[in-house]
Amino acid sequence: MIIGLMSNKGGVGKTTLSMNIAKGLSSRSSLVVLDADPQQSSTHWNRVGKLSGFECPDLVTLEEQSVDEAIAKLSNQYEHIIVDCPPSIESAQTKATLNLADIAIVPVQPSPIDLWATVHIIGIIKESQARNPRLRAAMLLNQLEPRTTLSKVMKNAVGQFGLPVLPIGLRRRAIYRNCLLDGRSVYDSGVRAEDAIAEIETVIEEIFKL
Ligand SMILES: Nc1ncnc2c1ncn2[C@@H]1O[C@H](COP(=O)(O)OP(=O)(O)OP(=O)(O)O)[C@@H](O)[C@H]1O
Ligand SMILES: [Mg+2]
């Protein structure tokens, strides 16, 4: 299965989700992360993780080749490909991913600015679905603070946009940021990451139900 993490806005959690979902799924299936973002955040993450001695998912950095070429090659070798896209829906990488993916996940933070930026992406996803009928897509709320009014209002608001919303989002947790210090995933972070691991596991389950 090809799963693309995409958004039209930076810093919404594409790389955090790509790398943690990859670690969770790679324990049960063959999987590769395709870093399609020129910022190469997941590539750096993976490099630091390996240097720190963690077992990291396989990762390929998009350099000379196109997304199409990379996916054509990788789909012969791996059961799942997770594509970490650049923060633009107009980028060639995101467009190519939409044409080839089975699943597109759009992380959205619980703020109206993020939601406004998402309206555009929904139209493009719908157009892509006309070309690529396999494509299922959903928004995923990230950095939720369950007790705040904004998070509650946003949960209702995202549901009005004509794209499914995963029933589980990620809470704002320091562990997601701390993991970056030594390139680990929440799965490598012991008992203090139990809640985050459970959250990522549920996200994986929900993605497979789409
Ligand atoms: N649920 C969360 N709780 C706390 N921090 C988070 C959470 N999700 C993401 N972050 C932090 O937010 C920052 C941005 O996340 P990330 O790099 O995954 O976003 P991105 O969409 O890939 O960004 P870019 O568009 O620049 O590639 C990072 O510092 C990350 O650790
Ligand atoms: Mg990123």
Side-chain angles (χ1 to χ4, degrees), residues 120-198:
H120 186 53
I121 211 170
I122 292 172
I124 293 189
I125 287 177
K126 297 247 148 111
E127 281 167 33
S128 305
Q129 283 173 323
R131 282 192 303 275
N132 170 10
R134 271 197 334 270
L135 180 68
R136 281 101 67 202
M139 293 192 276
L140 183 160
L141 281 162
N142 186 21
Q143 306 239 20
L144 282 168
E145 292 168 295
R147 280 175 296 280
T148 64
T149 313
L150 192 57
S151 280
K152 280 185 202 138
V153 170
M154 286 294 296
K155 263 191 173 165
N156 294 330
V158 287
Q160 321 277 312
F161 276 83
L163 199 67
V165 184
L166 283 195
I168 172 108
L170 300 195
R171 283 178 59 167
R172 184 195 291 271
R173 299 178 194 277
I175 191 81
Y176 287 115
R177 280 174 195 275
N178 293 342
C179 277
L180 295 170
L181 292 172
D182 53 7
R184 69 175 80 201
S185 76
V186 291
Y187 291 87
D188 306 304
S189 304
V191 282
R192 69 207 159 100
E194 262 174 7
D195 292 343
I197 296 168

Side-chain angles (χ1 to χ4, degrees), residues 190-204:
V191 282
R192 69 207 159 100
E194 262 174 7
D195 292 343
I197 296 168
E199 194 168 70
I200 297 286
E201 286 290 314
T202 315
V203 165
I204 293 171

Side-chain angles (χ1 to χ4, degrees), residues 32 34 60-63 65-77 81 100:
V32 64
L34 176 61
V60 167
T61 311
L62 200 67
E63 274 165 318
Q65 79 275 48
S66 66
V67 166
D68 300 56
E69 288 163 345
I71 287 182
K73 228 184 267 167
L74 295 171
S75 52
N76 292 326
Q77 299 166 43
I81 305 173
L100 295 170

Side-chain angles (χ1 to χ4, degrees), residues 34-50:
L34 176 61
D35 186 356
D37 182 358
Q39 297 179 100
Q40 300 193 351
S41 316
S42 42
T43 304
H44 291 301
W45 185 327
N46 207 258
R47 194 175 297 138
V48 174
K50 278 187 186 149

Side-chain angles (χ1 to χ4, degrees), residues 13-16 37 39 41-42 84-85 87:
K14 297 177 293 296
T15 301
T16 302
D37 182 358
Q39 297 179 100
S41 316
S42 42
D84 185 8
C85 291

